Amino acid sequence: MQELRELAKKLLAEGAVKVVVGYAEGRQGVRPIFAATPEDADKLIFDPRCVQNLATYLSPRRAHVAALGKLAVVVKGCDAMAAAGMIREAQRKRDDFVLIGVRCGGVLADPRASAAVTEATVAARCPGCEVREPKIVDHLLGPLPPAPPGASALDARIAELDAMTPEERFAFWTSELAKCVRCNACREICPMCFCVRCVCDKSQPQWIESSPHARGNLAWHMTRALHQAGRCVGCGECERACPVGIPLSLLNRKVARVVAERFDYVVSDDPEKPAPIGTYRLEDDQEFIR
Amino acid sequence: MTRQMFISESALKSLAEELVKAGTRLVGPARERNGDLVYREASDLGEIELGGDPPTRSLKEFFLPPTEVLLTYRQKQGDVEVTPAPHVFAPLVVIGARPCDAAAVAAVDKVMDWDYHDELWFGRRLATTIVSVACGGGDASCFCTAVGLAPDSAKGSDVLLVPVEGGFHAEILTEKGEALVKAHAARFTEGGKAEAAKAYRDAARGKVQANLSADPAKIRAFLEAGFDHPIWKGIALRCHGCGACAFVCPTCHCFDIVDEPDSIERGTRRRNWDTCQAAKFTLHGSGHNPRNEQNCRIRQRMMHKFAIYPARFGEILCTGCGRCIRVCPGGMDLLETLDKLGRLPAGAPAEAKRGAP
Amino acid sequence: MTQGNLYAPYLMRVDEVVEETVDTRTLKLSFKDPEVAAKFDFKAGQFGEYSVFGAGECTFCIASAPTRKGYIECSFKKVGRVTAAMRELNVGDTMGFRGPYGNSFPLDKMAGKSLVFIAGGIGLAPVRCVIQNALDLRDKFKDITIIYGARSVGDLVYKRELDEWAKRPDVKLWQTVDPGGETKEWKGQIGFVPNVVEKAHPMALNAFAVVCGPPIMIKFTLPVLAKLGFKDDAIYTTLENRMKCGIGKCGRCNIGPVYVCKDGPVFNAAEIKKLPPEF
C-alpha cells in the first residue's frame, strides 16, 4: 500500500502524470479515486475489494476524464488486458498513459463486501486467472498473493448450459434477457465498448431495435457478445453494472471459449498479438460459414 | 380523517387469496430465480416479502413499463389506419409497496397530468390499489427523511400498513383504500394499533435520519444559483454515464418514442425508458449536443430532481430510496453529493453569475 | 368506443411537395378528417410532432400561418431517419401530426409596432409563419423588414415567396449569402447576416425583432440588435431543443427551469439570457 502511495506521489510530483486513477475507501466500500494531489494519493489502497476495472477510464469515450491530462491507472491483470486491448485496436497509444500494475490474488464480487477471498467469496471470474502479474505495465507492485481459490463458478454454470438441449438453453437466455431494460450500462462501463457510434444507436438502417422487448434485447445482447468475441477481457464489469442482474459473464466467457477453440486465441495483455476479429488466416476453421 | 384498522397476518394472507381468486393481479416484492428481490406478480402472499430489503427495481414499471405500445398502424397504398393502445387496464393490487416507491408514483402523477393527461399512465394508476408496508429504516443508502418523506410516509399509498405484533396497524388513506377494505371487510378490525405502531415508526425514522440530515431548501437554493459552480467540473469523474441510476430510479420518467415496423404494412409506435445520462438524449439532428459531456448530464439530473421539478410542481423528484447509490458501478453516491451541496453557500462564486432564475 | 390517447396523431394528406434546396423540402399537408380540419387552429410559433409511420416522429414548427386556413406546412432538412422517410413521401401519401404544441409569438403585443424579421438558412421556417401572419393582417403593423441569409444562393428557402416579398412596396427585404456563396446572377447582399442587419439599420423604436437561424448567427446578431437599440424583451427567437413528446412529459427538452415544449419554443432574449447555456 505504502509502495503504491509513494509511487503515485512521485509520478505526480515529477509531473509524469496529472492524475492517478486508483482505488480508495468510499462511504460504502471501495470506489475509484482520481488522485491529483499528495493528500489524495495517500488515500490509495489495493485489496480484494478493488473490483472495478479502472482501465475503462482510459477509453477515448471518457472525454471528461481525458480532459484531466495524462493519467496513471492502477491495474490488475484483467484491467491491464483492457488497456492492451485499446492499444491493440489503435484507440490509445502505449505512452498516452502510465500503468501501475498490482499483483492480484483474486477479488471479491462486490466492492462493498468485506471478507477474505475464499472459494465462497471470490468473484466468479477469478479462479484460473492467468494474468495475475500483468506484463504490459510500467510499474509492478506488491508480492504475488496465492492464486484465487477453487474453480470458476462460471465454468461450472457454462458446463450446465452446454449440457442443455438448444431449446432449454434458448429458454434460459430468453428469460434472462427478458429482464433487460436497455439502459446500456453494460456497454457504457465496458472498457472494450469504445465505438464512438454503437451499432445499437444507429437508425439508418436500424439494425437493433431500441425497445426492451424480446426481439430488441436478443438482437442487442447477441450483437454485443459477438462484437466482444476475442476482445472481451472477462473483467465482469458489464454484469456488475447490470441493474437487473443478467448473467452477462456467462455469455462472454462462453464466446471466449469458442474463440479459443476455433481460433486458438486467448485475450492477453500483449497488445502486439492481433485479435481474431480483425485478422484473416487461411487455416482458420470455416465450417460454420457453410 | 384517515380510518385506522388492524389486519392480522393470516387475514392479510386470506385477503390476498380472495384477490387472486377474483382474478385481480397481485403484485409485491418477491424473489426471482437468481435471488433478486423485485416487484412482480405473485399467486400467493407467501411469495411476497413484506418489509425487509428494498426491491432492486422500483414500482414505476407497473405504470410506465420499460417499453409500451402507444399505437399500432397499418398502411396500404399511401393510406394509414392508426389504432391507439387501449388505456383501460385490469385491476391490480400491490401489497408490500415501499412507502418511497408509492410516494414516487404520486410525484410522477404531476408531470403525467401537466396540462395533458396521460391516459396510459393514469389508466394503470386508476386500476391499481397500493398497499404499502412501512419500512423499518432501510440501509446505508436510504435518505427519505432528507427529502421530506419518511419510512412510513403515506404519500401515494391507498393503504399504509405498519407492522405490529401479530399483524399490521392499517391506515386507510384513499377511496381506493376504502373500497379494498369494504370488499374484504371481514379481514379488518376497527381501531388499529396506533400506539404499538408508533415505536416501530419512530425507530425507523431515527435510523434513516442518521444517514443524512440535509435541508432540501438549501440544496435547491444552491442549485438554482450555482450552475457554473466549480463543483460540477469534477462531479462525474467516476461516472460511466451508464444510466443504471435513472433506470432503477422510481421517479425518473424520461422516455423515448420510437416506431418499429413489423413489415412494410404494419408496425407499432412505442415509448421506451430513456435517460438524461445518455449522450444521445439531447443530441440534435445537426450533430450539436447541448449537454455534450458527463459532468453536464449529472448536473442536469441533480437540478431536475432538486430544483427544476420542485420549482414547477412543489415537490422534490427524489424519494431517497437509495437505489441509484446501490446500483452505481462507479461508486457515485447521491447521499454524499447532497450532503456536500447542502453545506455549500447558495449562489455561484463571484466569477460565475449565470444560473437558473 | 375507440380510445384515443395523447400520442395518437391526426392523419394528414400530403397535398404538395416543394423542393426548396438540394436537401430541404416543404410539405403542404391537410387533415384527412374534415371534422378535425374544421376545428384545427393554432398560433404563429407553435410546433407539432410530424410522423412517418414506421420511421417515427420529428419536431418541426408549423411553417405556414394560422391565417391561411385548411392546410399546414412544414419544412425539413434530411438529417435523420424520420426526415429521410419524409423525403420519400409523395403527393397523396399519408403522414401523422400531433399538435399544435407550445407557446407562440406575441402578435397581440406586436400590433401597432414595426417588425424586423431576421433569419438564416432553414431558420426562415418559424419566422415565415409570423411573416405570413403579419402580412395577412398588414394594416395592424407598421414597417416590416425582412433580413434573410443563407450560405449560398442554392441554400435559400421559400424562393417563390422571397420574390413576392421583394415585389411588395410595404415590405423591406434584404437577402444575403455568405461570401463565396453568390452566383453571377445574384443581386442581393454578400455577407453574413449580422453585418447585413447592421447595414439595414432597422429602427428599434416601437419595433420587435424576430430572429431565427443557426446558433452562431443568433449569437452575433444579438449584439448588433442591442447596438441598434433593441431591448432584450423586444427580441424574439425559438429554441430548437430535441423533443419527443412535445407535451412536457418525456423530459428531453428541459433546460434549467424551462421545458422548451411547454414554456417555449418562443422566448425573448431576456428570457434566454437567464437560461443555462444548454441549447
Side-chain angles (χ1 to χ4, degrees):
Chain A
M1 206 98 86
Q2 207 46 44
E3 198 186 0
L4 171 60
R5 291 172 183 173
E6 293 310 322
L7 174 62
K9 278 190 260 189
K10 184 167 162 262
L11 291 171
L12 290 170
E14 285 172 352
V17 298
K18 284 272 190 259
V19 172
V20 177
V21 186
Y23 303 95
E25 203 73 55
R27 197 175 61 86
Q28 297 186 66
V30 167
R31 65 180 181 185
I33 185 175
F34 293 74
T37 62
E39 295 75 48
D40 282 348
D42 268 331
K43 295 178 187 157
L44 290 168
I45 56 171
F46 185 75
D47 64 34
R49 296 172 299 158
C50 299
V51 171
Q52 298 91 340
N53 184 345
L54 302 182
T56 296
Y57 294 110
L58 292 172
S59 163
R61 293 175 62 213
R62 299 291 185 289
H64 61 300
V65 176
L68 297 175
K70 190 166 177 174
L71 303 181
V73 183
V74 177
V75 288
K76 307 181 291 294
C78 39
D79 314 340
M81 289 199 285
M86 286 180 217
I87 298 166
R88 184 183 303 123
E89 299 185 28
Q91 298 301 306
R92 300 298 304 264
K93 293 200 177 72
R94 179 63 189 88
D95 49 9
D96 284 351
F97 47 81
V98 171
L99 294 179
I100 305 175
V102 280
R103 295 188 179 89
C104 179
V107 292
L108 302 169
D110 181 356
R112 282 170 223 222
S114 60
V117 174
T118 65
E119 212 167 314
T121 61
V122 71
R125 69 177 191 271
C126 292
C129 174
E130 286 173 4
V131 282
R132 296 168 49 227
E133 230 176 358
K135 289 187 262 321
I136 190 189
V137 296
D138 301 285
H139 308 272
L140 186 59
L141 308 182
L144 185 66
S152 170
L154 284 179
D155 291 339
R157 192 77 185 99
I158 288 172
E160 280 172 36
L161 286 167
D162 283 347
M164 290 179 179
T165 64
E167 291 73 25
E168 287 168 340
R169 203 156 47 232
F170 191 73
F172 169 80
W173 281 112
T174 306
S175 78
E176 287 298 335
L177 298 183
K179 296 190 279 194
C180 179
V181 288
R182 302 298 288 281
C183 65
N184 289 331
C186 47
R187 176 186 80 180
E188 296 301 324
I189 200 169
C190 176
M192 299 307 290
C193 270
F194 46 61
C195 295
V196 173
R197 191 138 183 241
C198 175
V199 65
C200 84
D201 285 340
K202 289 187 179 162
S203 63
Q204 296 183 83
Q206 184 149 26
W207 296 108
I208 298 171
E209 287 167 329
S210 60
S211 304
H213 50 36
R215 204 166 59 184
N217 291 353
L218 187 73
W220 161 237
H221 288 286
M222 293 306 124
T223 303
R224 183 166 182 276
L226 288 177
H227 194 196
Q228 289 293 344
R231 302 176 64 245
C232 171
V233 300
C235 67
E237 288 286 82
C238 48
E239 182 167 327
R240 193 175 66 83
C242 179
V244 296
I246 300 170
L248 292 165
S249 293
L250 281 179
L251 198 56
N252 291 330
R253 187 176 288 216
K254 174 65 190 174
V255 172
R257 287 285 139 84
V258 173
V259 171
E261 284 161 22
R262 297 261 168 184
F263 302 99
D264 188 27
Y265 182 85
V266 175
V267 178
S268 70
D269 70 339
D270 176 3
E272 304 302 325
K273 199 174 164 193
I277 200 166
T279 316
Y280 177 73
R281 295 188 310 183
L282 274 175
E283 65 270 27
D284 282 343
D285 181 359
Q286 291 172 26
E287 57 83 24
F288 66 94
I289 283 177
R290 277 179 225 131
Chain B
M1 177 67 194
T2 312
R3 199 143 66 102
Q4 314 217 323
M5 309 196 83
F6 173 78
I7 184 164
S8 71
E9 272 172 39
S10 60
L12 188 63
K13 194 167 166 46
S14 309
L15 184 152
E17 268 166 27
E18 285 166 13
L19 287 173
V20 173
K21 206 173 281 172
T24 302
R25 294 166 63 207
L26 173 68
V27 165
R31 296 280 163 188
E32 286 200 294
R33 196 176 42 200
N34 65 357
D36 283 353
L37 187 67
V38 297
Y39 289 109
R40 66 164 169 82
E41 206 162 328
S43 54
D44 183 90
L45 194 69
E47 292 174 48
I48 294 177
E49 292 187 17
L50 301 173
D53 294 343
T56 52
R57 277 138 68 189
S58 83
L59 205 50
K60 80 173 167 196
E61 64 195 56
F62 289 90
F63 307 99
L64 183 70
T67 182
E68 96 181 294
V69 174
L70 296 173
L71 57 89
T72 55
Y73 65 84
R74 210 183 151 172
Q75 50 190 352
K76 240 186 200 164
Q77 282 136 18
D79 208 7
V80 182
E81 190 188 314
V82 170
T83 313
H87 48 73
V88 171
F89 296 89
L92 185 155
V93 173
V94 182
I95 296 185
R98 291 177 80 80
C100 50
D101 288 336
V105 176
V108 180
D109 277 349
K110 294 200 174 173
V111 75
M112 291 299 179
D113 198 33
W114 183 20
D115 295 350
Y116 298 87
H117 185 79
D118 195 299
E119 299 94 341
L120 290 161
W121 171 273
F122 285 105
R124 291 187 172 91
R125 285 288 275 136
L126 193 69
T128 306
T129 305
I130 300 180
V131 179
S132 300
V133 173
C135 154
D139 62 17
S141 298
C142 290
F143 59 97
C144 59
T145 49
V147 291
L149 295 170
D152 59 339
S153 289
K155 185 178 163 186
S157 302
D158 297 302
V159 175
L160 177 71
L161 302 180
V162 186
V164 292
E165 181 84 46
F168 301 91
H169 166 73
E171 293 183 355
I172 321 305
L173 302 158
T174 64
E175 279 177 28
K176 268 194 279 185
E178 285 291 350
L180 184 77
V181 172
K182 203 174 156 198
H184 305 271
R187 304 295 166 207
F188 292 86
T189 51
E190 290 290 341
K193 299 205 170 173
E195 211 43 41
K198 192 173 178 302
Y200 178 91
R201 302 172 94 145
D202 288 348
R205 279 175 192 243
K207 190 176 171 211
V208 184
Q209 273 160 357
N211 289 347
L212 174 69
S213 63
D215 176 5
K218 249 190 110 184
I219 292 169
R220 179 170 159 192
F222 169 79
L223 291 170
E224 287 182 341
F227 188 85
D228 288 336
H229 195 282
I231 195 172
W232 301 122
K233 288 219 171 81
I235 191 80
L237 286 177
R238 291 187 184 98
C239 175
H240 296 289
C242 78
C245 50
F247 279 66
V248 296
C249 176
T251 58
C252 274
H253 54 267
C254 290
F255 58 81
D256 191 12
I257 298 176
V258 297
D259 274 22
E260 286 183 350
D262 292 321
S263 65
I264 289 173
E265 277 187 9
R266 299 157 184 274
T268 54
R269 181 162 297 165
R270 294 174 163 270
R271 74 167 149 197
N272 298 333
W273 285 358
D274 203 348
T275 166
C276 60
Q277 297 309 295
K280 235 176 51 155
F281 190 68
T282 49
L283 182 66
H284 288 201
S286 64
H288 168 64
N289 194 347
R291 281 195 276 277
N292 62 352
E293 59 127 80
Q294 199 54 30
N295 290 325
C296 321
R297 299 194 275 264
I298 286 279
R299 174 178 56 198
Q300 168 64 15
R301 187 156 186 272
M302 298 285 299
M303 288 190 34
H304 193 201
K305 293 199 172 297
F306 298 98
I308 297 166
Y309 205 87
R312 184 73 69 170
F313 295 107
E315 59 183 299
I316 298 168
L317 195 65
C318 168
T319 64
C321 75
R323 284 193 181 85
C324 55
I325 304 170
R326 284 180 212 107
V327 300
C328 182
M332 297 285 286
D333 190 333
L334 182 60
L335 195 156
E336 198 178 61
T337 311
L338 290 175
D339 186 41
K340 205 184 281 178
L341 296 191
R343 290 168 200 278
L344 287 168
E351 76 273 15
K353 273 282 172 260
R354 183 198 289 275
Chain C
M1 194 185 106
T2 53
Q3 298 180 331
N5 68 43
L6 284 179
Y7 306 95
Y10 301 123
L11 295 180
M12 319 265 328
R13 181 183 181 276
V14 177
D15 288 337
E16 203 182 321
V17 178
V18 180
E19 202 82 28
E20 302 285 2
T21 71
V22 174
D23 57 4
T24 307
R25 274 186 184 178
T26 298
L27 301 180
K28 186 174 180 182
L29 309 167
S30 61
F31 292 93
K32 294 188 97 165
D33 182 343
E35 255 180 65
V36 176
K39 270 193 283 184
F40 184 81
D41 198 13
F42 71 100
K43 292 197 172 78
Q46 288 192 292
F47 67 94
E49 295 294 332
Y50 298 75
S51 57
V52 179
F53 296 92
E57 292 188 318
C58 212
T59 315
F60 303 106
C61 67
I62 301 173
S64 55
T67 40
R68 306 191 177 179
K69 302 285 183 197
Y71 70 94
I72 60 171
E73 286 181 328
C74 81
S75 298
F76 64 96
K77 199 176 233 182
K78 180 184 160 186
V79 289
R81 183 182 176 194
V82 180
T83 46
M86 283 172 72
R87 256 194 100 77
E88 301 299 313
L89 293 175
N90 295 310
V91 171
D93 284 348
T94 299
M95 66 181 292
F97 172 82
R98 291 193 285 124
Y101 299 136
N103 69 353
S104 55
F105 288 97
L107 278 162
D108 294 344
K109 228 163 71 180
M110 292 171 168
K113 306 280 180 10
S114 293
L115 303 177
V116 182
F117 298 102
I118 303 166
I122 197 169
L124 186 56
V127 178
R128 174 209 194 210
C129 168
V130 201
I131 296 175
Q132 285 189 351
N133 198 335
L135 291 179
D136 290 344
L137 310 166
R138 187 65 189 87
D139 301 348
K140 283 195 169 187
F141 305 95
K142 293 190 1 202
D143 297 347
I144 290 182
T145 308
I146 301 168
I147 300 159
Y148 174 55
R151 244 176 302 176
S152 71
V153 175
D155 289 313
L156 295 162
V157 297
Y158 307 128
K159 290 189 184 72
R160 287 183 302 190
E161 250 164 318
L162 289 170
D163 291 344
E164 279 171 38
W165 298 339
K167 281 182 208 138
R168 284 180 77 132
D170 56 354
V171 171
K172 274 183 253 171
L173 175 69
W174 295 72
Q175 297 185 66
T176 186
V177 292
D178 291 354
E182 70 273 18
T183 55
K184 269 186 218 147
E185 300 76 29
W186 179 243
K187 293 196 178 64
Q189 306 287 316
I190 297 169
F192 297 107
V193 168
N195 301 335
V196 177
V197 174
E198 202 157 8
K199 194 168 168 191
H201 209 281
M203 299 296 282
L205 188 68
N206 283 323
F208 280 94
V210 174
V211 188
C212 291
I216 189 85
M217 183 209 93
I218 295 180
K219 187 180 164 189
F220 287 106
T221 301
L222 291 182
V224 173
L225 287 173
K227 210 165 92 184
L228 293 171
F230 283 85
K231 297 273 183 289
D232 280 347
D233 60 3
I235 304 170
Y236 280 84
T237 188
T238 59
L239 289 184
E240 311 283 331
N241 278 49
R242 192 159 178 220
M243 292 178 194
K244 283 289 177 177
C245 73
I247 48 182
K249 317 242 180 275
C250 81
R252 204 167 296 261
C253 68
N254 172 234
I255 316 171
V258 308
Y259 282 69
V260 174
C261 67
K262 296 272 290 147
D263 306 304
V266 177
F267 294 93
N268 67 35
E271 292 164 331
I272 296 227
K273 281 180 181 168
K274 281 191 220 158
L275 292 179
E278 294 196 324
F279 41 82

